[in-house]
């Protein structure tokens, strides 16, 4: 690799491992963004379903279980929706924590790699 000053910078095995680790973290970071978006949408949908359930006067409502709709008592549906919301929010919290951890690790690797390679390496998103 050529550095901006024209001198050659040696890429060590450790440098290559850091570059590979950064790449894996970056890929996981983008996967997490997609997963977080999906779970946020799911939380909104569950909240909307709960609100619609409040508005209904029926004691038995249709509830989707897998690919089938079943007639389920309203109270049971309310309980299931609440449990689903809680589980989704817990999963969302875990993913947010993992995202923060990955962001910190990537920042540390950027410092190391930019410190050694300067402008010769590009770790920024476009």
């Amino acid at each position: 690799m050529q550095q901006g000053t024209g001198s050659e910078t040696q890429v060590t095995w450790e440098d290559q491992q850091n570059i590979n680790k950064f790449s894996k973290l970056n890929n996981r970071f983008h996967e997490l963004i997609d997963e977080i978006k999906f779970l946020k949408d799911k939380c909104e949908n569950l909240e909307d379903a709960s609100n619609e359930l409040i508005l209904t006067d029926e004691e038995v409502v249709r509830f989707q279980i897998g690919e089938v709709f079943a007639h389920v008592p309203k109270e049971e549906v309310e309980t299931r929706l609440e449990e689903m919301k809680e589980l989704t929010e817990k999963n969302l919290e875990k993913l947010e924590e993992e995202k923060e951890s990955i962001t910190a690790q990537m920042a540390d690797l950027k410092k190391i790699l930019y410190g050694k390679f300067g402008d010769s390496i590009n770790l920024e998103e476009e």
Side-chain angles (χ1 to χ4, degrees):
M1 289 190 155
Q2 291 290 325
Q3 211 170 8
T5 60
S7 64
E8 194 170 309
T9 302
Q10 183 73 16
V11 178
T12 64
W13 184 82
E14 184 181 340
D15 295 332
Q16 189 60 53
Q17 294 305 310
N18 284 337
I19 292 168
N20 292 345
K21 184 176 181 182
F22 183 87
S23 177
K24 288 178 185 175
L25 289 171
N26 191 45
N27 288 338
R28 180 62 183 146
F29 179 78
H30 288 287
E31 289 173 3
L32 284 172
I33 289 174
D34 292 340
E35 291 176 29
I36 288 169
K37 183 184 180 320
F38 174 78
L39 288 181
K40 283 182 178 179
D41 290 344
K42 185 175 179 179
C43 279
E44 287 179 23
N45 290 339
L46 290 170
E47 186 65 35
D48 290 345
S50 293
N51 292 340
E52 288 294 322
L53 194 59
I54 292 170
L55 298 175
T56 187
D57 293 336
E58 299 178 31
E59 291 301 314
V60 176
V61 294
R62 292 180 351 146
F63 185 72
Q64 185 175 1
I65 303 172
E67 295 181 15
V68 179
F69 284 94
H71 292 279
V72 181
K74 182 179 175 180
E75 294 83 26
E76 185 179 335
V77 173
E78 289 172 341
T79 304
R80 285 188 181 199
L81 284 175
E82 196 59 39
E83 290 170 357
M84 291 168 68
K85 254 194 317 193
E86 288 174 11
L87 181 62
T88 303
E89 288 170 354
K90 285 180 185 177
N91 289 337
L92 184 58
E93 188 175 308
K94 287 178 187 176
L95 292 179
E96 290 285 358
E97 289 173 3
E98 184 181 352
K99 180 182 163 192
E100 289 175 18
S101 171
I102 286 176
T103 301
Q105 291 177 55
M106 287 173 63
D108 291 342
L109 287 170
K110 279 183 182 182
K111 288 177 190 175
I112 293 168
L113 294 170
Y114 278 129
K116 179 159 185 181
F117 297 107
D119 293 338
S120 298
I121 191 166
N122 183 12
L123 304 173
E124 302 301 322
E125 301 282 329
E126 291 184 17

